[in-house]
Every structure is written in C-alpha cells, then in structure tokens.
Amino acid sequence: MIFGRQKTLNVVFMGTPDFAVPVLNSLVEAGMALRAVVTRPDRPRGRGKRVRYSPVKEEALRFGLPVYQPHSVREEHFIALLRELNPDVIAVAAFGQILPSEILNIPPLGCINVHASLLPEYRGAAPIQRAVMSGRSETGVTIMKMDTGLDTGDILLQERAAISPEDSFGSLYRRLSLMGAGMLPEALHLLASGRLRGVPQDSERATYAPPLRREEEIINWSGRAVDIENLVRGLDPWPGARTWLGERVLKIWRASVAGGERAAGGTGPAAETPLPGQVLRTGGPGLVVQCKDRPLAVRELQLEGGKRLAAEDFLRGVRIVPGAVLGWAEGPDNAGGV
C-alpha cells in the first residue's frame, strides 16, 4: 500500500526511557498525527521509591498526547484499543516488550523499530553498553521492520557511528538517540511512498546483547587493564562498575590504562610482586591499580554513601596507602588497607 508523501501518517508511538524522547519529538516535529503514546506503567524510582512517570510519558503529556500504559501488550483490551486507533504505522523505540503478531499485523505499514546497533550485531536489550564494554570502535542505528523475533526483522535504514576512546555508555546513548530521531521520520515517509524496501538480516552474522547481570558490574582485577577500562566506560552513568575498599562498595566511574607504568618494580609495599587490585601509588593521574597485565589509572570514583568525585578530591577525604588491595581477592579481611 502506497500512501504518498502528502498524506499525514497516523502513528502510534511506543517507548519508555529517555532514549525514546528525541524520537517522539522528531515525529511531532515532522507533523505526523500521533494517535497515542504507549509506555510502561509508572513505577517507584530512587531512594524514596516515589512513583514516577517514564520520560516518554512526561514528554507525551507536555504535548497533550493521549497516553496508554498496559502491563502487557498482549492484553486483549489493549490490542482492541490499537485496532480502534487504526494507525498507519506503529513506531517503537526502547519500549521494553516484544510485540505479538496480533499487534504487528494491525498497521498497514507495520511496526517500525529504532534499534541502537548495526543489526544483525547486538540484537537484544543492551546493545550500547555491550558495544562499549567489548571495546568496539563503531556501532550505529538500525531502523527495522519488526517481526515476532528478537530484533530479527528486515533492515530499512542504517547509519554508522564511531565509538571514541572517551565515549561512555551515557555519551554514546545520547548520540545514538539523536541519530535515531533524525532517521525515523524520513524512513516512515519513504516507506509510506513505496520507495523503501526492507533487506533481510544475515542471521549467520548475528550477535546478542542480553540485559546486564549484576555480577557483570564487579571489576575483576585479574583481567586486562583495557578490558576493565572498557567495563568502566560501558557502565557509566548506570549502573557503575564496582569493587570494594575494605567492606565498603567502591564504584569506579572513569579510568584509563596507565601510561609509563610497570606491572612490578619501583619502591614501597606494592613494588615486588603486586597483586591484581593492589594500589601501586596515589596522586598523579589518579589512583593507580594493578591489573593482570598492566596498571589502570582510576580518575573518578565514589565510595558507598559518598559523592562521585575526581580522584584527587576523593583522596583528600579517604586515605588509601600503596599496597592496599581493592576487591575481595582473599576475602573481606584482606581486601582493604585504608
């Protein structure tokens, strides 16, 4: 079915986190008729566990758009509602649920998803974090036509984005969100005019980006310094890579492989045979900590109950001596040294 570029598309938008907010804004700015916005139910957040709206709901209300929040998109009354809305297309960005075939078949143009990777790479819930944690130098955004699989539908558009060594999950997240917002309206116009055809994914090249497990947040100081640096980057600003200082959780927010350092040697208690996680020195580039192959300079950190601070400010209030070992290397009795 060809709609023609002159027709205003009737759109239902589905999204939840702040990643989806620029995408919603782009549809409004493009003059599309937003019949409804669908987002996840309100839930308690933060230390006070106050019930808060999702970022998408807040933005939708600002525009005066009708908002629906089903607990499950498989609910019969919600599917009936979508049929009544009769959208030309359903646009999806980081919604958080897989759509069943009953919904996928409602709009004549289908359900179109903004996915933050170069599919078929990094299918799944955490493509941005996984790309940074893996040390990738490139990722991108894919506009795809959804099917019943996990990010397996035909590719409509793709754009590439470099990942710099300074990028964190947060900085890349914002950049890809804006990239997706710029791509989606044009993709919908091209699709409606019949000038865009999907390309099937090569499933043999598929990789996956499952949700992060809590144990993945723990720094393994026996790993390579570059891998720990990438872990730190991939977990900033949420949920944070963590270790322990004594019996207190220590989050590492910024770190880099230390230049000009050696895995052993020098003077002091950490000089002869440094253990993984052992503090080699303080000051200079930060808190220098031994990893499997070489040291890591910790430049920004946060002790449990405290604020996120640059290393030099942190060390003014917390005394850490060379030779201290971060983490639970030999159990909590030997993990401190403050």
Side-chain angles (χ1 to χ4, degrees), residues 43-52:
R43 62 178 184 176
R45 291 187 178 90
R47 292 185 178 180
K49 296 299 181 183
R50 291 179 54 192
V51 174
R52 298 178 184 270

PDB file of all heavy atoms in Angstrom, residues 43-52:
ATOM      1  N   ARG A  43       6.246   3.489  37.921  1.00  0.00           N
ATOM      2  CA  ARG A  43       6.814   2.616  38.950  1.00  0.00           C
ATOM      3  C   ARG A  43       7.674   3.426  39.913  1.00  0.00           C
ATOM      4  O   ARG A  43       8.142   4.519  39.573  1.00  0.00           O
ATOM      5  CB  ARG A  43       7.648   1.506  38.316  1.00  0.00           C
ATOM      6  CG  ARG A  43       8.836   1.984  37.527  1.00  0.00           C
ATOM      7  CD  ARG A  43       9.627   0.807  36.988  1.00  0.00           C
ATOM      8  NE  ARG A  43      10.834   1.236  36.301  1.00  0.00           N
ATOM      9  CZ  ARG A  43      11.745   0.411  35.795  1.00  0.00           C
ATOM     10  NH1 ARG A  43      11.567  -0.886  35.910  1.00  0.00           N
ATOM     11  NH2 ARG A  43      12.816   0.877  35.184  1.00  0.00           N
ATOM     12  N   PRO A  44       7.883   2.888  41.127  1.00  0.00           N
ATOM     13  CA  PRO A  44       8.713   3.611  42.101  1.00  0.00           C
ATOM     14  C   PRO A  44      10.153   3.674  41.635  1.00  0.00           C
ATOM     15  O   PRO A  44      10.703   2.706  41.098  1.00  0.00           O
ATOM     16  CB  PRO A  44       8.587   2.758  43.370  1.00  0.00           C
ATOM     17  CG  PRO A  44       7.387   1.892  43.160  1.00  0.00           C
ATOM     18  CD  PRO A  44       7.308   1.659  41.692  1.00  0.00           C
ATOM     19  N   ARG A  45      10.796   4.841  41.851  1.00  0.00           N
ATOM     20  CA  ARG A  45      12.195   5.018  41.485  1.00  0.00           C
ATOM     21  C   ARG A  45      12.888   5.826  42.559  1.00  0.00           C
ATOM     22  O   ARG A  45      12.262   6.574  43.309  1.00  0.00           O
ATOM     23  CB  ARG A  45      12.336   5.748  40.138  1.00  0.00           C
ATOM     24  CG  ARG A  45      11.889   4.961  38.919  1.00  0.00           C
ATOM     25  CD  ARG A  45      12.238   5.731  37.647  1.00  0.00           C
ATOM     26  NE  ARG A  45      11.873   5.000  36.446  1.00  0.00           N
ATOM     27  CZ  ARG A  45      10.698   5.102  35.851  1.00  0.00           C
ATOM     28  NH1 ARG A  45       9.784   5.900  36.348  1.00  0.00           N
ATOM     29  NH2 ARG A  45      10.431   4.406  34.760  1.00  0.00           N
ATOM     30  N   GLY A  46      14.216   5.678  42.598  1.00  0.00           N
ATOM     31  CA  GLY A  46      15.014   6.486  43.507  1.00  0.00           C
ATOM     32  C   GLY A  46      14.980   5.975  44.932  1.00  0.00           C
ATOM     33  O   GLY A  46      14.326   4.987  45.268  1.00  0.00           O
ATOM     34  N   ARG A  47      15.711   6.692  45.802  1.00  0.00           N
ATOM     35  CA  ARG A  47      15.831   6.252  47.192  1.00  0.00           C
ATOM     36  C   ARG A  47      14.505   6.310  47.934  1.00  0.00           C
ATOM     37  O   ARG A  47      14.218   5.493  48.787  1.00  0.00           O
ATOM     38  CB  ARG A  47      16.869   7.124  47.908  1.00  0.00           C
ATOM     39  CG  ARG A  47      18.289   6.903  47.405  1.00  0.00           C
ATOM     40  CD  ARG A  47      19.284   7.693  48.210  1.00  0.00           C
ATOM     41  NE  ARG A  47      20.660   7.438  47.766  1.00  0.00           N
ATOM     42  CZ  ARG A  47      21.731   8.006  48.312  1.00  0.00           C
ATOM     43  NH1 ARG A  47      21.587   8.876  49.304  1.00  0.00           N
ATOM     44  NH2 ARG A  47      22.937   7.707  47.857  1.00  0.00           N
ATOM     45  N   GLY A  48      13.690   7.314  47.608  1.00  0.00           N
ATOM     46  CA  GLY A  48      12.412   7.441  48.301  1.00  0.00           C
ATOM     47  C   GLY A  48      11.326   6.562  47.739  1.00  0.00           C
ATOM     48  O   GLY A  48      10.216   6.508  48.274  1.00  0.00           O
ATOM     49  N   LYS A  49      11.621   5.849  46.631  1.00  0.00           N
ATOM     50  CA  LYS A  49      10.671   4.948  45.981  1.00  0.00           C
ATOM     51  C   LYS A  49       9.361   5.667  45.635  1.00  0.00           C
ATOM     52  O   LYS A  49       8.268   5.103  45.734  1.00  0.00           O
ATOM     53  CB  LYS A  49      10.386   3.726  46.869  1.00  0.00           C
ATOM     54  CG  LYS A  49      11.594   2.842  47.106  1.00  0.00           C
ATOM     55  CD  LYS A  49      12.134   2.265  45.810  1.00  0.00           C
ATOM     56  CE  LYS A  49      13.335   1.367  46.021  1.00  0.00           C
ATOM     57  NZ  LYS A  49      13.896   0.871  44.743  1.00  0.00           N
ATOM     58  N   ARG A  50       9.499   6.913  45.211  1.00  0.00           N
ATOM     59  CA  ARG A  50       8.330   7.654  44.745  1.00  0.00           C
ATOM     60  C   ARG A  50       7.935   7.170  43.355  1.00  0.00           C
ATOM     61  O   ARG A  50       8.778   6.871  42.525  1.00  0.00           O
ATOM     62  CB  ARG A  50       8.645   9.152  44.685  1.00  0.00           C
ATOM     63  CG  ARG A  50       8.837   9.806  46.037  1.00  0.00           C
ATOM     64  CD  ARG A  50       9.175  11.280  45.859  1.00  0.00           C
ATOM     65  NE  ARG A  50       8.190  11.959  45.033  1.00  0.00           N
ATOM     66  CZ  ARG A  50       8.359  13.184  44.533  1.00  0.00           C
ATOM     67  NH1 ARG A  50       9.493  13.831  44.746  1.00  0.00           N
ATOM     68  NH2 ARG A  50       7.413  13.745  43.810  1.00  0.00           N
ATOM     69  N   VAL A  51       6.632   7.088  43.135  1.00  0.00           N
ATOM     70  CA  VAL A  51       6.145   6.671  41.828  1.00  0.00           C
ATOM     71  C   VAL A  51       6.407   7.798  40.839  1.00  0.00           C
ATOM     72  O   VAL A  51       6.023   8.948  41.060  1.00  0.00           O
ATOM     73  CB  VAL A  51       4.646   6.330  41.885  1.00  0.00           C
ATOM     74  CG1 VAL A  51       4.120   6.039  40.480  1.00  0.00           C
ATOM     75  CG2 VAL A  51       4.412   5.136  42.798  1.00  0.00           C
ATOM     76  N   ARG A  52       7.091   7.450  39.742  1.00  0.00           N
ATOM     77  CA  ARG A  52       7.457   8.456  38.743  1.00  0.00           C
ATOM     78  C   ARG A  52       6.992   8.016  37.360  1.00  0.00           C
ATOM     79  O   ARG A  52       6.913   6.829  37.066  1.00  0.00           O
ATOM     80  CB  ARG A  52       8.979   8.665  38.729  1.00  0.00           C
ATOM     81  CG  ARG A  52       9.540   9.187  40.048  1.00  0.00           C
ATOM     82  CD  ARG A  52      11.050   9.319  39.966  1.00  0.00           C
ATOM     83  NE  ARG A  52      11.635   9.729  41.236  1.00  0.00           N
ATOM     84  CZ  ARG A  52      11.835  10.993  41.598  1.00  0.00           C
ATOM     85  NH1 ARG A  52      11.506  11.963  40.758  1.00  0.00           N
ATOM     86  NH2 ARG A  52      12.370  11.288  42.760  1.00  0.00           N
TER      87      ARG A  52
END
